[in-house]
Amino acid sequence: MNRSTCRRARTRAAASSIGIVLTVLLAGCGGASGTVSGGTDTVEGNASGACGQVPTIAPKDPDGAIKALPADLQKAYNAYGEEVFASAWRDKQALDRPAKVGFSYLPVSNAFAAAVVKQTEASFAEAKANGLVQGELVKRIMTDPATMTPAEQIRGYNELVNSGVDIIYTTPLSGDAMVAAVDAAGKKGVVTVSLSATIRSKYAVNVAENAYLNVAEPTALVAEQLDGNGNVVVVRGFQGLSSETIGYKAVKDVLAACPDLKLIGEVNGAFVPPVAKAELLKFLSSHPQKIDMLAQLGVMGSGAHAAFESTGRDTPKVVDVGASASSLASWKKLETNGYETAGTGGNGTQEAKAWFTVGMMVLQGGGPKVGTITREPSVITKANLADYLPAGATPSDLGEVKDGEPWMPAEYLAKFFAKSTA
C-alpha cells in the first residue's frame, strides 16, 4: 500500500470506544502503527482525586441541558469530552402518520457493525408491524472500507433527505463533517439519530457511550488493584479520532493521581487487535522489564493478550475497554492463576435497539431534553465476568460479548424525554 493510499485511509477510518473498529487495511500503512514516540497530540494528565478514583471534570454544557436533567443522569456526563447541546426537537409534535426511515451506515466489516445492521432491520420490522413506520428501510451503506470518505457518506445522506425520509439513523465517519448536512436536513424537519459518534448539531440526537468514563473507570479499578504501584504501557487507538483523544486523556488523568504507576511506553494499535499485537511484540523485544498494567483504549484486548502469550511473558492486567469474546476468554483462562483485571462491555445488538427506540420516541413527540444521550459504562470485573463471557468462547473467538446489564433500556431512555411515548 503506497503512502498516499494510507493517508487517505487514515482520514476515512472510524471507531467507537466499544466496537466500530478500523479496517485491517490500516495494518498495511507504515504510519498507522508503530511505537508512539511523540507528536502534536501529547496529553498531560490532570489528577483530581486519589489514586484509583475516577477524576471529576465538569462537562461542556453551553445550554444548561445537562443541569436540567435528574441528578442520577448527570453523573453519566462526568468529563464528557464534547459539547452537549439542548435538542432542537424538544417541542417537535408527534408525526401523524407512519414514518419513512433512512439508514446511513459504515461498511459491515466487523461483528459490531453486522450486529447493528441486523438489529436495525429487526427493529424496523417490529416498528412497521406496530404501525410506526412505512415502506422499506431506505439504506445508504458504504461498501468499501478502502475507499470510503466522509464526502461519500454525506452524498448518500443527502440522497436520503431528498427521498423524503422523516428520520435518518447514522454512524458518521466524521461527525464534524456531517454538521452542515444535518443542520440543513433538520431545518427541513428531518431528524438525525447518531450512534457511537457525536454530531455537534442541535438537530442531531446522539446516542453514545461516555468515551472518557469508558476508559477511566476500568483503568482506575486496575490502578486500585495494583495499589498504585507498577509499570504501565498504553496501547493507543487511531489518533485523530475524538474518542481516542478523550480515552487517552482519561488514562493520563488516572495515572496522574498514581505517582508510583510508571508509564514506560506507548504503542499505536490503531483499534485493530492484530496491529496491537504486532506493535506490542516490537515493544516487548526491547523492553524486558516487568509490565504490570496494559491500558488499551478499546477493542484491542485480544491483541494484547495474544502478544504476551506468544512471548511467554507474564500477562499484565489488561484494561479490557470494549471487551470481546476473545479477550474475556483469555481473561478467564488466566483466572486459575489469580489473574484479575477490569473492562467494559456492550454489544451492537443492545446499542442498535436503544438507538432505534430513541428515534421513534422523537417522532412520537417525546421531546428529548438533551441532544446527547449517554450512560455510565458497564464495568466488567471478576464478580460479573460470567455475565459477559459467551458460553464456549475461546481466545480465538471473533464474536461479541453477551448482554450483561441492559444498555439504555426503555425505562432509562424515558428519563431523557419530556413526555411519555409508551
Side-chain angles (χ1 to χ4, degrees):
M1 187 180 296
N2 62 43
R3 291 185 178 180
S4 62
T5 302
C6 288
R7 282 195 296 271
R8 291 194 300 272
R10 294 184 193 115
T11 66
R12 293 191 293 264
S16 80
S17 59
I18 65 171
I20 302 282
V21 299
L22 297 174
T23 171
V24 179
L25 145 76
L26 293 173
C29 298
S33 60
T35 302
V36 177
S37 58
T40 59
D41 61 345
T42 299
V43 173
E44 295 297 330
N46 296 296
S48 63
C51 182
Q53 293 185 354
V54 176
T56 299
I57 303 172
K60 301 169 185 174
D61 187 20
D63 301 328
I66 297 174
K67 289 181 181 178
L69 292 173
D72 61 323
L73 297 185
Q74 292 183 36
K75 295 186 297 182
Y77 292 88
N78 177 28
Y80 197 85
E82 296 175 292
E83 298 95 338
V84 176
F85 301 112
S87 176
W89 307 114
R90 175 67 183 256
D91 298 320
K92 179 178 174 58
Q93 297 300 305
L95 201 63
D96 59 1
R97 55 174 172 75
K100 187 173 181 180
V101 181
F103 183 28
S104 168
Y105 201 60
L106 307 174
V108 183
S109 57
N110 56 75
F112 181 90
V116 168
V117 172
K118 182 178 179 180
Q119 182 56 49
T120 300
E121 292 171 341
S123 293
F124 178 86
E126 182 180 356
K128 187 173 182 179
N130 291 330
L132 298 177
V133 302
Q134 61 173 295
E136 301 298 325
L137 182 62
V138 187
K139 303 175 187 176
R140 293 295 185 273
I141 299 178
M142 293 182 286
T143 59
D144 188 352
T147 61
M148 64 181 180
T149 64
E152 177 193 358
Q153 184 174 35
I154 291 169
R155 281 195 297 273
Y157 175 92
N158 287 333
E159 288 174 3
L160 292 173
V161 173
N162 293 334
S163 74
V165 298
D166 301 293
I167 187 169
I168 298 174
Y169 290 94
T170 188
T171 289
L173 194 54
S174 167
D176 287 345
M178 289 287 292
V179 170
V182 171
D183 282 348
K187 291 171 184 176
K188 295 179 180 179
V190 179
V191 176
T192 298
V193 188
S194 174
L195 178 66
S196 300
T198 299
I199 301 173
R200 291 184 287 184
S201 165
K202 65 181 180 179
Y203 294 104
V205 181
N206 303 297
V207 181
E209 288 277 10
N210 182 325
Y212 186 96
L213 293 183
N214 203 45
V215 174
E217 290 203 8
T219 303
L221 275 174
V222 172
E224 185 177 34
Q225 291 169 9
L226 290 168
D227 293 324
N229 292 279
N231 293 328
V232 181
V233 172
V234 175
V235 181
R236 299 195 61 175
F238 189 75
Q239 294 172 53
L241 293 171
S242 62
S243 61
E244 200 279 344
T245 302
I246 293 165
Y248 182 55
K249 184 180 188 310
V251 170
K252 296 301 288 284
D253 286 351
V254 171
L255 294 182
C258 304
D260 293 322
L261 279 174
K262 306 298 184 183
L263 180 60
I264 64 171
E266 302 177 358
V267 301
N268 190 345
F271 288 123
V272 180
V275 175
K277 176 184 176 181
E279 296 308 317
L280 276 169
L281 287 173
K282 294 177 188 176
F283 181 86
L284 293 174
S285 68
S286 59
H287 292 77
Q289 60 265 59
K290 180 185 178 184
I291 298 171
D292 300 279
M293 177 200 292
L294 187 141
Q296 59 87 25
L297 301 189
V299 305
M300 298 174 289
S302 59
H305 278 283
F308 282 88
E309 184 173 358
S310 67
T311 63
R313 291 176 57 168
D314 289 342
T315 303
K317 291 178 180 289
V318 176
V319 182
D320 204 4
V321 176
S324 65
S326 171
S327 62
L328 293 189
S330 294
W331 176 352
K332 183 66 177 178
K333 181 180 176 181
L334 292 169
E335 271 195 338
T336 56
N337 297 322
Y339 185 85
E340 184 178 6
T341 187
T344 54
N347 61 50
T349 299
Q350 290 178 301
E351 295 194 29
K353 284 181 180 178
W355 183 42
F356 198 89
T357 298
V358 165
M360 292 296 103
M361 293 172 76
V362 174
L363 292 186
Q364 292 173 71
K369 299 174 184 177
V370 63
T372 296
I373 297 173
T374 191
R375 67 191 293 274
E376 295 184 85
S378 298
V379 178
I380 305 174
T381 65
K382 181 179 180 179
N384 64 356
L385 177 59
D387 295 336
Y388 293 88
L389 177 63
T394 68
S396 60
D397 198 312
L398 298 178
E400 294 191 294
V401 299
K402 292 197 303 184
D403 286 358
E405 69 176 1
W407 198 95
M408 295 195 192
E411 57 270 22
Y412 179 79
L413 293 174
K415 297 178 181 181
F416 291 90
F417 286 81
K419 303 178 213 172
S420 172
T421 59

